[in-house]
């Protein structure tokens, strides 16, 4: 019962999605034409229109969704996150989409080319028939948690206990052993910290069975709801205590994405929305967005006072700043002095939901890079990719290689530093494709294409299209800021994507396999 994907509502849902999206697309373009400040940038609207239209035509195809639902959903996510979403978000806010961009026409044209590149890669991926055999084999490996009527209660308990146990262990460890985990004068955590970071994907496992309750027909008791609620409270505590926005916001976002996915594959029916419902939802979003954005900004303000060894004090600092209303303060790292700022939207939360500005910055930075600097960047990313391997393996080939040198900066930040030595950030958001554009190396382009096809293969391996079954592990790894199934093709660099496919997800799967088999053994002995 892993469980069969009902496509009873797929056709009707698709018709509604196509109609509503196309109407929204036309209205958004008209709004932008009206509020556009510089009509030399009118091509930006055209390029964004074409980008969205291409995605609509290709991804909202019934055969594509039936046969490749996960990779198609990932492409739609990419378009909203990295490209076409800007047209909709800016139009809702009644803001000119070209403002705060250095080269809007060039940026949106290159993003259009990225969309074409991804769609062509997916088209070729579909044509490679031999990949179907690999998908079936991978699905069998991933399907070690095979839900049926006899074991679904066991699976539910495992996920709930896994969630509460892992987040409770992390909470106790960071609260009482923070000084031990973060040794003085050591920037990164020790072995215990690495272990906790390795299991953080499991914090939300209780919520996964809750979000997929209708899909798998789990039977929840009051105790189950309490344990899931308790894990949510502890996740919120860790989010504030470690000053990690993603720990809390990922939980809410993954729930939203999973429910959207249900409608996308036709499991739930999209019922006709009345105008009063649309108006109510719109007003609710407007009211809540400013509050959520303010709460999100408080993470940044509290970061100045963050003490990794004292999470309780970090929680106090966060609420103190939030209640004082200081989150709207301007900070040096958001000032216009920094030419690579990410202030595209006035609502800062949207700058994380749509990273157009980051792409524009990278493309703009290319103007200040010479051949030697680009070669330096390629070398840095190569070494960053090597750093994915454990130190003992690296030492077999080189005793002088220091992986710590290549873990301090994202590739986007490294590009900004090469272009502007005064740039002070180290974890700037980014996207793999504009970085490849900077390299302009034929072999790297080929390698990226191959990696993209492998990524599509891995995504769709969570789905057995012959039996119309999804592995529940799909939803556990569905989304994470650091890297999940849906945002896998939206990674920040080649090294990030490599780490996700080669280390992060396989490592988590291995740990999950061991824990699940151990749970079954203990359960059998108890009985």
């Amino acid at each position: 019962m892993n469980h069969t994907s009902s496509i009873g509502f797929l056709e009707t849902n698709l018709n509604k999605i196509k109609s509503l999206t196309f109407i929204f697309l036309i209205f958004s373009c008209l709004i932008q034409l009206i509020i556009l400040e510089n009509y030399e940038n009118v091509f930006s609207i055209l390029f964004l229109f074409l980008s969205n239209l291409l995605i609509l035509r290709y991804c909202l195809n019934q055969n594509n969704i039936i046969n490749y639902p996960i990779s198609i959903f990932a492409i739609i996510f990419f378009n909203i996150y990295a490209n076409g979403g800007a047209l909709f978000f800016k139009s809702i806010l009644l803001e000119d989409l070209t403002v705060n961009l250095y080269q809007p026409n060039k940026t949106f044209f290159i993003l259009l080319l990225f969309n074409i590149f991804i769609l062509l890669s997916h088209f070729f991926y579909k044509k490679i028939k031999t990949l179907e055999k690999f998908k079936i084999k991978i699905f069998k490996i991933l399907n070690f948690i095979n839900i049926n009527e006899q074991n679904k209660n066991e699976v539910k308990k495992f996920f709930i206990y896994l969630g509460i146990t892992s987040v409770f262990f992390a909470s106790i460890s960071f609260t009482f052993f923070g000084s031990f985990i973060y040794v003085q004068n050591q920037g990164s955590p020790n072995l215990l910290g690495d272990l906790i970071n390795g299991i953080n994907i499991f914090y939300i496992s209780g919520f996964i069975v809750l979000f997929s309750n209708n899909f798998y027909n789990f039977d929840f008791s009051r105790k189950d709801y309490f344990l899931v609620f308790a894990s949510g409270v502890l996740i919120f505590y860790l989010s504030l205590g470690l000053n990690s926005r993603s720990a809390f916001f990922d939980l809410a976002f993954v729930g939203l994405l999973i429910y959207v996915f249900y409608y996308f594959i036709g499991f739930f029916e999209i019922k006709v929305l009345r105008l009063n419902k649309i108006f109510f939802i719109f007003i609710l979003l407007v009211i809540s967005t400013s509050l959520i954005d303010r709460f999100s900004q408080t993470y940044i303000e509290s970061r100045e006072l963050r003490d990794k060894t004292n999470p309780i004090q970090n929680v106090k600092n966060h609420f103190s700043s939030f209640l004082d209303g200081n989150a709207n303060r301007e900070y040096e790292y958001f000032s216009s002095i920094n030419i690579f700022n990410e202030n595209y939207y006035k609502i800062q939360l949207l700058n994380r939901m749509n990273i157009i500005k980051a792409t524009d910055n990278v493309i703009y930075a290319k103007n200040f890079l010479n051949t030697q600097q680009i070669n330096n960047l390629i070398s840095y990313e190569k070494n960053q990719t090597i750093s994915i391997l454990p130190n003992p393996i690296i030492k077999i080939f080189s005793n002088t290689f220091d992986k710590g040198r290549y873990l301090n900066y994202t590739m986007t930040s490294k590009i900004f530093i090469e272009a502007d030595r005064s740039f002070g950030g180290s974890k700037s958001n980014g996207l793999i494709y504009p970085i490849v554009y900077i390299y302009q190396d034929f072999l790297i382009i080929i390698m990226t294409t191959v990696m993209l096809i492998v990524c599509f293969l891995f995504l769709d391996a969570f789905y057995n299209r012959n039996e119309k079954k999804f592995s529940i592990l799909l939803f556990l790894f569905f989304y994470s800021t650091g890297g999940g199934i849906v945002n896998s093709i939206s990674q920040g660099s080649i090294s990030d994507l490599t780490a996700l496919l080669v280390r992060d997800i396989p490592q988590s799967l291995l740990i999950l396999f061991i824990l699940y088999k151990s749970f079954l053994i203990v359960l059998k002995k108890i009985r």
Side-chain angles (χ1 to χ4, degrees):
M1 198 181 99
N2 214 36
H3 197 47
T4 301
S5 164
S6 170
I7 60 171
F9 303 118
L10 178 57
E11 186 174 356
T12 55
N13 283 3
L14 274 180
N15 290 333
K16 292 172 185 176
I17 293 172
K18 287 178 182 177
S19 300
L20 290 173
T21 309
F22 188 73
I23 292 171
F24 194 19
L25 179 60
I26 296 298
F27 269 102
S28 297
C29 290
L30 291 175
I31 290 171
Q32 287 301 317
L33 285 172
I34 293 171
I35 64 177
L36 188 65
E37 295 181 8
N38 184 353
Y39 275 88
E40 290 183 0
N41 294 327
V42 70
F43 290 104
S44 296
I45 301 173
L46 174 63
F47 297 144
L48 269 176
F49 174 78
L50 292 175
S51 288
N52 282 293
L53 198 61
L54 278 172
I55 295 297
L56 282 174
R57 292 279 297 176
Y58 186 85
C59 294
L60 298 186
N61 176 286
Q62 187 168 329
N63 287 331
N64 281 342
I65 296 174
I66 290 174
N67 295 312
Y68 313 96
I70 306 169
S71 58
I72 290 293
F73 192 74
I75 292 173
I76 293 175
F77 176 88
F78 166 81
N79 184 59
I80 295 172
Y81 172 70
N83 190 1
L87 178 61
F88 302 119
F89 293 140
K90 281 290 188 176
S91 298
I92 291 173
L93 297 172
L94 298 179
E95 295 176 3
D96 181 357
L97 60 82
T98 66
V99 171
N100 293 335
L101 297 180
Y102 289 115
Q103 308 167 108
N105 286 341
K106 182 176 182 179
T107 295
F108 288 119
F109 175 69
I110 292 174
L111 283 168
L112 170 61
L113 295 181
F114 293 160
N115 270 18
I116 294 172
F117 169 70
I118 291 173
L119 293 181
L120 284 175
S121 298
H122 193 272
F123 176 78
F124 287 120
Y125 152 72
K126 292 192 305 180
K127 296 298 181 183
I128 306 175
K129 299 301 180 183
T130 54
L131 294 181
E132 291 301 319
K133 296 179 181 179
F134 287 103
K135 276 195 287 188
I136 293 172
K137 290 180 179 179
I138 297 173
F139 179 82
K140 289 179 179 179
I141 296 173
L142 297 173
N143 204 35
F144 62 85
I145 301 182
N146 183 23
I147 302 176
N148 52 52
E149 287 295 335
Q150 287 71 41
N151 74 347
K152 68 177 183 178
N153 192 49
E154 293 176 354
V155 174
K156 178 201 68 177
K157 286 182 178 180
F158 170 71
F159 272 80
I160 292 175
Y161 292 157
L162 178 63
I164 188 65
T165 302
S166 58
V167 73
F168 180 76
F169 174 68
S171 300
I172 293 296
S173 299
F174 283 119
T175 301
F176 298 104
F177 304 101
S179 299
F180 171 72
I181 293 173
Y182 291 99
V183 181
Q184 191 175 9
N185 299 325
Q186 181 175 313
S188 57
N190 60 16
L191 185 61
L192 176 59
D194 286 336
L195 174 63
I196 296 172
N197 289 334
I199 64 172
N200 61 15
I201 186 67
F202 303 136
Y203 296 171
I204 66 169
S205 57
F207 284 91
I208 293 304
V209 289
L210 183 64
F211 295 150
S212 57
N213 189 23
N214 291 327
F215 203 65
Y216 295 103
N217 296 317
F218 292 119
D219 184 19
F220 270 73
S221 64
R222 289 184 179 180
K223 178 184 175 182
D224 296 331
Y225 283 117
F226 173 77
L227 290 175
V228 172
F229 175 76
S231 63
V233 172
L234 291 175
I235 289 171
F236 186 58
Y237 165 72
L238 281 178
S239 175
L240 299 181
L242 300 178
N243 197 255
S244 171
R245 280 190 294 190
S246 60
F248 175 67
F249 283 100
D250 280 4
L251 174 59
F253 196 53
V254 74
L256 174 64
L257 280 176
I258 287 174
Y259 278 104
V260 170
F261 184 71
Y262 289 156
Y263 285 104
F264 178 71
I265 62 176
F267 185 73
F268 291 154
E269 181 184 9
I270 299 177
K271 296 182 179 179
V272 178
L273 293 175
R274 295 179 180 176
L275 289 176
N276 59 339
K277 290 184 179 180
I278 297 175
F279 181 75
F280 175 76
I281 293 172
F282 179 75
I283 294 298
L284 185 64
L285 286 173
V286 170
I287 294 173
S288 62
T289 297
S290 59
L291 184 64
I292 295 172
D293 189 55
R294 180 182 165 190
F295 188 77
S296 174
Q297 280 297 96
T298 311
Y299 279 92
I300 298 173
E301 179 180 352
S302 304
R303 201 160 289 169
E304 292 181 328
L305 307 172
R306 175 174 59 178
D307 180 0
K308 293 180 180 179
T309 66
N310 193 347
I312 293 177
Q313 185 58 48
N314 291 339
V315 174
K316 292 178 181 178
N317 291 340
H318 187 102
F319 279 109
S320 176
S321 298
F322 179 71
L323 295 175
D324 287 344
N326 292 330
N328 293 322
R329 228 169 39 180
E330 294 293 330
Y331 297 96
E332 183 180 350
Y333 41 81
F334 276 116
S335 69
S336 59
I337 297 174
N338 184 348
I339 64 171
F340 297 122
N341 71 79
E342 296 179 4
N343 293 330
Y344 183 53
Y345 295 97
K346 293 178 181 178
I347 299 174
Q348 291 296 336
L349 193 60
L350 286 177
N351 288 316
R352 292 171 62 85
M353 295 174 63
N354 181 257
I355 59 168
I356 289 290
K357 179 58 176 170
T359 300
D360 182 68
N361 284 341
V362 170
I363 294 172
Y364 180 65
K366 187 178 185 299
N367 298 324
F368 306 98
L369 299 174
N370 57 40
T371 303
Q372 182 57 50
Q373 288 173 307
I374 291 174
N375 289 334
N376 291 341
L377 290 170
I378 294 174
S379 177
Y380 184 87
E381 179 149 28
K382 176 186 174 182
N383 290 327
Q384 197 174 64
T385 304
I386 294 172
S387 300
I388 295 169
L389 298 171
N391 255 326
I393 295 178
I394 294 176
K395 294 301 180 184
I396 295 174
F397 302 96
S398 174
N399 288 321
T400 60
F401 187 88
D402 181 12
K403 64 187 295 182
R405 292 178 55 193
Y406 307 103
L407 301 177
N408 295 326
Y409 300 96
T410 63
M411 280 310 304
T412 300
S413 289
K414 195 65 179 174
I415 289 170
F416 295 160
I417 291 171
E418 285 289 341
D420 175 19
R421 291 296 176 181
S422 66
F423 181 78
S426 63
K427 301 296 180 182
S428 296
N429 238 352
L431 194 64
I432 183 173
Y433 309 103
I435 295 174
V436 173
Y437 165 75
I438 281 183
Y439 294 160
Q440 292 191 355
D441 183 286
F442 180 73
L443 289 178
I444 292 179
I445 294 172
I446 295 297
M447 183 179 69
T448 305
T449 307
V450 173
M451 289 183 69
L452 198 53
I453 291 174
V454 170
C455 198
F456 291 142
L457 167 67
F458 183 70
L459 297 186
D460 288 325
F462 283 87
Y463 171 67
N464 186 325
R465 73 178 186 181
N466 294 326
E467 300 178 13
K468 299 292 189 294
K469 289 182 179 180
F470 291 94
S471 168
I472 192 173
L473 302 185
L474 164 67
F475 302 112
L476 180 60
F477 297 102
F478 206 65
Y479 174 85
S480 170
T481 297
I485 297 297
V486 170
N487 56 330
S488 57
I489 65 170
S490 307
Q491 289 295 289
S493 65
I494 294 174
S495 57
D496 287 344
L497 180 56
T498 305
L500 180 69
L501 296 177
V502 175
R503 182 193 64 192
D504 298 345
I505 292 182
Q507 174 182 276
S508 298
L509 284 170
L510 178 60
I511 295 173
L512 188 67
F513 176 81
I514 295 171
L515 291 175
Y516 181 64
K517 294 302 179 182
S518 302
F519 174 78
L520 292 181
I521 293 172
V522 172
L523 203 62
K524 188 176 181 180
K525 288 185 176 181
I526 292 175
R527 289 176 179 174

